[in-house]
Amino acid sequence: MKLLAPSILSADFANLGKDVLMCNNSQCDWLHLDVMDGVFVPNISFGLPVIKAIKKHATKPLDVHLMIVNPDPFITHFKDAGADNLTVHYEACTHLHRTVDGIKKAGMKAGVAINPHTPVHLLHDIIADIDLVCVMSVNPGFGGQKFIENTYSKIEALVQLIQQRNSKALIEIDGGVDMNNIKKLYTTGANVLVAGNAVFSTENPTQTIAAMKGIV
Ligand code: DX5
Ligand code: ZN
């Protein structure tokens, strides 16, 4: 499975409806929505009301990436706002199994994100329970950062772990994805690529998305 998820963090927040429509009419697969709390990451983005507003117009699944501490009390709120996938950070969840269980019980696909310094093997005892692993290929908090090359070896390790544990988890790569690394990422084993800056900074994002999907 080779999916593409434009990251709304790089969209024009004063014209969000327009960018959501662009995604609806493009070949992209999901919309990636980054929620930041200014505590887990050194930035604040947007939250529940914005996701709710996007849901009214989006025709594709909402892939919500929580970069927040203590996500548990908000799980059902994100479901109500329209999240289809809910991803939490390994580093932010003391009781990760309980959090993942809560996400699935709320009726969403459960994802776990790992920061660039977090080794893949730490997912050994949760990988069979989750639908998606989001491998951060930049330090989370901002769009437009440089891709970290060590990500490829993490994908290789993850492919092995997923097979070994008989997991169905998808591998998502988030940060610094662009035209130059897409092919290698997919061929190494990535299933979902998130792209913010590489889509929204171009003159014709619809064409860029088509070009990215064409690379597969
Ligand atoms: C970073 C976010 C990413 C970000 C990616 O913390 O999780 O989803 O929007 O942006 P680009 O593709 O510009 O690196
Ligand atoms: Zn993200």
Side-chain angles (χ1 to χ4, degrees), residues 153-168:
S153 57
K154 292 180 86 166
I155 298 173
E156 285 165 5
L158 206 40
V159 168
Q160 281 197 3
L161 182 67
I162 286 169
Q163 274 173 8
Q164 184 199 334
R165 302 291 290 167
N166 209 10
S167 162
K168 293 195 169 58

Side-chain angles (χ1 to χ4, degrees), residues 32 34 65 67 136 174 194:
H32 185 82
D34 292 304
H65 175 193
M67 282 158 275
M136 291 309 302
D174 188 7
V194 174

Side-chain angles (χ1 to χ4, degrees), residues 132-148:
L132 178 141
V133 178
C134 176
V135 179
M136 291 309 302
S137 39
V138 298
N139 285 293
F142 304 93
Q145 299 183 81
K146 192 176 175 302
F147 180 82
I148 297 171

Side-chain angles (χ1 to χ4, degrees), residues 55-100:
K55 186 69 177 182
K56 282 191 192 141
H57 301 279
T59 55
K60 304 193 179 180
L62 301 189
D63 178 45
V64 177
H65 175 193
L66 297 185
M67 282 158 275
I68 67 173
V69 295
N70 194 23
D72 296 42
F74 297 103
I75 290 173
T76 54
H77 297 280
F78 281 103
K79 170 68 182 171
D80 295 343
D84 294 280
N85 309 336
L86 195 65
T87 295
V88 294
H89 264 264
Y90 174 87
E91 302 84 3
C93 298
T94 311
H95 303 286
L96 184 60
H97 188 277
R98 177 184 291 150
T99 306
V100 162

